Amino acid sequence: MSLLRLTFLGTSAAQPTLHRNLSGLTVKADSDLLLFDCGEGSQRQMVRFGTGFTVEAAFFTHFHADHYLGIIGFLRTLGMMGREHPLRLYGPPPARRLLHQAVHLGVDSLSFPVEIHELKDGDSVRRDGYTVHAVGVDHRINALGYVLAEDPRAGRFHLAKARELGVPEGPSFGKLQRGEAVTLADGTTVRPEDVVGPSRPGRRLVISGDTRPCASLISAAKDADLLVHESTFSDDEQERALETRHSTAREAARVAREAGVRRLILTHLSSRHDTDPSKLLGQAREEFSGPVEVAHDGLTVELPLRD
């Protein structure tokens, strides 16, 4: 997998504002387009930010209305566009009941199949070149975070070494890169480890969904390339964060620090911080020394390959 790109469709908590839509995030993983949450108005944001509508799967963190009601209109739009291949929807219970209602709302049936799958902590969804893992988190209702883990990448092919060993250029190079041994014309066997370096780790993207700071997410986010963590409140709203089972920006940054992530992006902001999230950013930077920023609608981030 070469491309791993995120586009934030909505970064507001609970209600939309003039500047921020409700929760929604697309992830482009090579040819796959994934959707994480789909708040009301998400499809308009997809048009606005040019993500396209070719979503293969949608993952819901939980079923508070601001995280999933947008799927109703999105499904109808896909039907009007003539979609025929299946769309897979994933989320924690009661995903089957609530998403079934969304699929069948209205008098017109959809032109394409919709598969609904319930996930629990520890479940995984295998895709081409990567896996999406579900992580149980701490919110007021049943909720999940997600880890998109890229497969380990093949080691570097040492061209000069292969030539030195007499491997002819062409199909033999490809075999060695695929892990197959090659027998030369003189009977010598060249093994992949003779010319290919050790495998390289894949990238890891972690999406918290709505949650209090929790050990399960810290464990799942260890050494992640990017943690996208909710930061609904600031320090002076700590009591409200505890009451609603959300996180402050400082707490999100503490999760990032304890997990040793490489980069942190804060999202899901209370309307109090709609146009000026500087307080959140400042408090997060006091806890986490790595790169940290506050997401805005339309923010696009590409994760580079690991060396």
Side-chain angles (χ1 to χ4, degrees):
M1 185 169 73
S2 56
L3 178 65
L4 188 55
R5 178 196 298 139
L6 295 76
T7 301
F8 287 82
L9 304 177
T11 56
S12 181
Q15 61 189 33
T17 71
L18 182 62
H19 306 281
R20 297 177 184 272
N21 199 60
L22 296 172
S23 293
L25 173 70
T26 61
V27 175
K28 184 71 171 174
D30 274 351
S31 60
D32 273 3
L33 182 63
L34 309 179
L35 180 60
F36 289 87
D37 285 336
C38 188
E40 183 182 356
S42 288
Q43 63 171 321
R44 184 178 183 277
Q45 299 291 81
M46 295 171 80
V47 174
R48 182 182 179 190
F49 302 128
T51 65
F53 276 16
T54 58
V55 173
E56 294 295 327
F59 294 84
F60 296 90
T61 60
H62 66 293
F63 291 101
H64 278 147
D66 57 317
H67 287 257
Y68 88 99
L69 284 187
I71 196 65
I72 296 171
F74 181 60
L75 290 170
R76 297 297 150 185
T77 296
L78 292 180
M80 288 189 290
M81 294 174 68
R83 181 179 178 125
E84 296 180 349
H85 63 283
L87 175 64
R88 296 171 177 85
L89 306 180
Y90 300 91
R96 285 198 179 94
R97 175 173 61 83
L98 292 179
L99 292 176
H100 178 84
Q101 292 172 352
V103 169
H104 295 283
L105 184 67
V107 297
D108 297 323
S109 59
L110 294 175
S111 60
F112 57 95
V114 176
E115 301 174 9
I116 301 172
H117 305 271
E118 289 189 344
L119 299 176
K120 63 182 184 302
D121 177 42
D123 285 346
S124 297
V125 177
R126 179 65 187 157
R127 304 287 301 176
D128 186 18
Y130 64 95
T131 302
V132 178
H133 303 281
V135 181
V137 295
D138 179 10
H139 194 39
R140 284 175 290 162
I141 62 173
N142 198 12
L144 296 172
Y146 291 103
V147 179
L148 189 156
E150 182 183 24
D151 294 349
R153 295 162 50 230
R156 297 187 184 280
F157 184 76
H158 299 297
L159 180 60
K161 183 64 174 177
R163 287 172 173 166
E164 179 185 328
L165 293 173
V167 180
E169 296 191 27
S172 293
F173 279 15
K175 286 185 177 181
L176 289 164
Q177 289 174 309
R178 292 192 298 272
E180 304 172 28
V182 169
T183 301
L184 306 181
D186 63 2
T188 301
T189 298
V190 179
R191 298 166 300 176
E193 55 266 33
D194 296 329
V195 295
V196 179
S199 63
R200 293 167 287 176
R203 292 160 289 184
R204 298 179 69 246
L205 163 65
V206 181
I207 300 166
S208 75
D210 286 9
T211 183
R212 291 288 300 146
C214 57
S216 58
L217 193 67
I218 293 171
S219 177
K222 290 293 183 184
D223 194 36
D225 294 79
L226 174 61
L227 170 62
V228 178
H229 201 291
E230 71 122 299
S231 58
T232 311
F233 299 114
S234 61
D235 286 353
D236 53 352
E237 300 163 299
Q238 182 69 65
E239 185 176 339
R240 181 68 174 150
L242 289 166
E243 177 187 349
T244 59
R245 309 310 295 168
H246 283 293
S247 297
T248 67
R250 184 180 300 277
E251 289 172 327
R254 194 171 295 143
V255 169
R257 174 168 53 80
E258 293 180 8
V261 305
R262 300 182 176 206
R263 182 177 181 182
L264 171 65
I265 297 181
L266 306 175
T267 190
H268 198 268
L269 277 59
S270 164
S271 59
R272 298 174 182 85
H273 309 285
D274 179 27
T275 59
D276 183 13
S278 58
K279 181 186 291 187
L280 301 181
L281 186 59
Q283 291 169 359
R285 284 178 171 165
E286 291 175 0
E287 292 287 332
F288 178 63
S289 60
V292 55
E293 61 193 295
V294 177
H296 58 81
D297 289 16
L299 174 66
T300 299
V301 176
E302 288 196 18
L303 296 187
L305 293 168
R306 291 196 178 193
D307 291 335

